[in-house]
Amino acid sequence: MPFTGDILKYNSLSIVGLEKNTGKTECLNYVLKRLQHSGKQLALTSIGIDGESIDQVTFTHKPEIELFENLIFVTSEKHFREKLIDAEILHLSDRRTALGRLVTARAKGNGKVIFSGPSDSFWLRETIDDLKTYGVDTTIVDGALSRLSLGSPAVSESIILATGAAVSANINSLVRKTRFVYTLIQIEAFQSPVNDRLQCLENGIYAIDDQWNIVDLGIPSVFMLEKFRDKLLGKGNTLFVTGAVSDSLLNFLRVQKNIEEIVLVVRDFTRIFVSSEAYAAFIRKGGRIRVLMRTRLIAVCVNPVSPEGYVLDSHKLCEQMSESLGIPVYDVRKI
């Protein structure tokens, strides 16, 4: 059973897709089937809606999510009422989504459920923590949307990255785009005695000097860089950006004379919203990026079929992507 044993080392797992229709549900069903008899208590929820038989955007067939007896799951009242499975209600939330309160339940047999879990990442994190009170060892989050933000370590401890022909019908292009995201996931952790203090900072850009002093530069965000360029490197060459990092920041830093001394620190890879070209140019010039929290990547899975009907050669795709990433890559329909 490739990679599924590693999932049980973590309290939570998100299945994240680079795009819609990259095989997240196929991957989820594979994981559930392989872990069904693991002896561990598993739970399942989602952010966004998933589990429908028809994609609401492309109107193509989708695999449904198949639950097994004793699995704990969290979905909205609307979709709990529509479930095709016997279940025991464990909890009803006070907060509501657009589809009603969240129902935490235990499956009493095998069947299917449409998932519509917490509506934001903070609520999702709270839900994962609350599920521990029911003895849950690992919560699996189905990333119903193409949100890399679900891959943040602030949400779940580990991820599976799903990619495929929906991203590009050209294998070379698909591998190149996936490799860029993989590169971001693998960014090294920032090693410092002030990491805990940095985690508590919520807004703005900060400098960290040689004595590990943290200095507020008074810059609200990188999107106001034009107005504050003169202040950016006045207090140190290590910068901590609390929010998103953009192309404009990397392009500004890479033309500085001391670029090889500059270290850019972000919370995690999901905060990096840059093009592969800007990132490569920054690194090539000697700039460094570090993260406060690294994401634990369990596996990369591919779906060789696009919603438009393109079918890539699965063996060739897995082989070429595996060679590029330097790790095994799986088509779960073939294993």
Side-chain angles (χ1 to χ4, degrees):
M1 293 190 292
F3 74 79
T4 50
D6 291 339
I7 295 170
L8 299 176
K9 298 176 184 176
Y10 302 104
N11 176 251
S12 52
L13 167 81
S14 289
I15 300 178
V16 178
L18 286 189
E19 291 283 353
K20 286 179 62 65
N21 303 111
T22 49
K24 294 187 296 294
T25 306
E26 289 275 9
C27 185
L28 172 62
N29 282 333
Y30 170 83
V31 167
L32 291 177
K33 187 175 180 180
R34 294 302 184 277
L35 296 183
Q36 180 176 356
H37 303 295
S38 64
K40 299 292 185 179
Q41 179 62 62
L42 301 180
L44 178 62
T45 188
S46 75
I47 189 164
I49 300 176
D50 205 5
E52 325 98 301
S53 59
I54 301 295
D55 189 292
Q56 298 303 304
V57 176
T58 62
F59 301 106
T60 54
H61 173 73
K62 287 184 60 180
E64 297 173 90
I65 298 173
E66 299 173 8
L67 277 57
F68 55 83
E69 185 174 6
N70 204 41
L71 181 74
I72 292 176
F73 62 95
V74 181
T75 191
S76 68
E77 285 179 289
K78 169 181 168 53
H79 289 134
F80 183 79
R81 286 193 294 268
E82 296 173 357
K83 69 188 184 316
L84 300 175
I85 190 172
D86 291 331
E88 168 195 9
I89 294 178
L90 302 176
H91 180 71
L92 199 57
S93 73
D94 295 326
R95 297 171 61 184
R96 304 180 72 90
T97 69
L99 300 174
R101 293 171 290 182
L102 293 184
V103 180
T104 301
R106 186 189 302 275
K108 305 299 288 183
N110 296 352
K112 297 174 181 176
V113 175
I114 294 177
F115 278 87
S116 47
S119 52
D120 62 65
S121 298
F122 294 106
W123 192 0
L124 178 59
R125 181 68 254 177
E126 291 176 6
T127 300
I128 292 171
D129 289 340
D130 291 344
L131 284 168
K132 294 177 185 175
T133 62
Y134 302 105
V136 170
D137 296 297
T138 301
T139 297
I140 300 171
V141 180
D142 181 22
L145 305 173
S146 52
R147 288 185 186 176
L148 282 179
S149 60
L150 288 181
S152 168
V155 177
S156 62
E157 294 180 354
S158 61
I159 68 168
I160 291 175
L161 182 64
T163 184
V167 177
S168 174
N170 177 284
I171 289 182
N172 291 333
S173 173
L174 172 56
V175 170
R176 187 169 60 251
K177 290 178 179 179
T178 305
R179 179 175 175 74
F180 176 56
V181 175
Y182 175 78
T183 298
L184 299 183
I185 292 172
Q186 298 302 313
I187 289 175
E188 293 179 32
F190 182 55
Q191 304 292 339
S192 89
V194 296
N195 280 19
D196 288 344
R197 291 170 56 197
L198 294 174
Q199 286 282 12
C200 296
L201 300 175
E202 295 184 352
N203 299 298
I205 301 176
Y206 297 79
I208 304 164
D209 67 20
D210 294 340
Q211 304 301 312
W212 300 113
N213 296 306
I214 301 172
V215 183
D216 186 349
L217 298 176
I219 305 175
S221 84
V222 297
F223 300 106
M224 302 183 72
L225 191 60
E226 285 294 329
K227 186 177 178 181
F228 295 99
R229 282 188 174 196
D230 293 343
K231 299 175 66 175
L232 191 60
L233 294 170
K235 302 295 183 181
N237 295 322
T238 300
L239 302 173
F240 174 57
V241 178
T242 57
V245 169
S246 65
D247 277 6
S248 62
L249 177 60
L250 296 193
N251 290 336
F252 173 73
L253 293 176
R254 74 177 168 81
V255 298
Q256 303 305 307
K257 291 181 179 177
N258 63 338
I259 175 63
E260 294 184 353
E261 300 172 8
I262 294 174
V263 180
L264 185 59
V265 184
V266 297
R267 291 191 191 281
D268 59 66
F269 86 98
T270 66
R271 303 300 181 103
I272 304 173
F273 293 88
V274 302
S275 64
S276 57
E277 293 80 8
Y279 178 84
F282 177 76
I283 298 298
R284 197 162 49 242
K285 283 287 188 177
R288 288 169 286 169
I289 298 183
R290 298 291 183 265
V291 293
L292 288 183
M293 297 182 292
R294 282 195 76 187
T295 295
R296 299 173 177 91
L297 179 65
I298 298 291
V300 174
C301 296
V302 297
N303 176 11
V305 182
S306 80
E308 294 81 16
Y310 294 110
V311 182
L312 301 177
D313 183 313
S314 173
H315 178 73
K316 182 179 179 183
L317 174 58
C318 288
E319 189 175 70
Q320 194 167 326
M321 190 169 296
S322 179
E323 183 178 349
S324 176
L325 304 186
I327 60 171
V329 173
Y330 305 98
D331 177 352
V332 295
R333 289 185 177 182
K334 305 290 184 182
I335 56 178

